[in-house]
Amino acid sequence: MTVRTSAGTTFKVSASTPATFDSSGYNALSFTTVGEVTNIGDFGRMYAKIVHNPVGNRGLVKKKGSFDEGALNLALGLDTDDAGQIIMKAGCLSDSDYSFLITTPTLNSIT
């Protein structure tokens, strides 16, 4: 197992969505860094566990089921002058879709 630090990770926001949902579409967006992020939390796909116990077998069978992309629990220090936080606040008050970019020192970019 490789242990990685989250130091140097950036969280960015765009008030736009890509024209195409691939790397070229996201690369065309303009992202603004959200300042004072203290914790991004766990993120990524979470799978439901499917289990059954066949009567002819004593063992419990476990399989990977449907997935949920989850929710990001972002913690930050409030900075009312930070451009990224201003965009995030506008997004909370809007029904529009926004795009996000997380860049870690070891994983490159996750959009």
Side-chain angles (χ1 to χ4, degrees):
M1 173 170 64
T2 302
V3 177
R4 297 183 174 121
T5 180
S6 60
T9 298
T10 58
F11 185 87
K12 298 180 180 183
V13 62
S14 174
S16 303
T17 56
T20 58
F21 291 94
D22 56 16
S23 59
S24 59
Y26 283 101
N27 288 335
L29 293 178
S30 175
F31 286 93
T32 302
T33 300
V34 178
E36 303 304 323
V37 175
T38 59
N39 190 340
I40 295 177
D42 295 332
F43 58 91
R45 192 172 280 182
M46 300 294 292
Y47 289 90
K49 180 172 57 174
I50 306 297
V51 298
H52 74 278
N53 194 1
V55 295
N57 180 333
R58 293 179 65 157
L60 184 65
V61 177
K62 299 177 185 179
K63 299 289 183 182
K64 188 188 306 184
S66 60
F67 64 85
D68 182 342
E69 296 294 356
L72 195 64
N73 295 310
L74 188 68
L76 49 85
L78 180 62
D79 180 353
T80 57
D81 295 327
D82 181 78
Q85 289 192 23
I86 291 168
I87 294 170
M88 295 279 287
K89 184 173 182 178
C92 287
L93 302 172
S94 171
D95 288 334
S96 298
D97 291 329
Y98 282 55
S99 299
F100 302 94
L101 174 67
I102 299 171
T103 303
T104 67
T106 54
L107 290 178
N108 298 323
S109 297
I110 302 168
T111 49

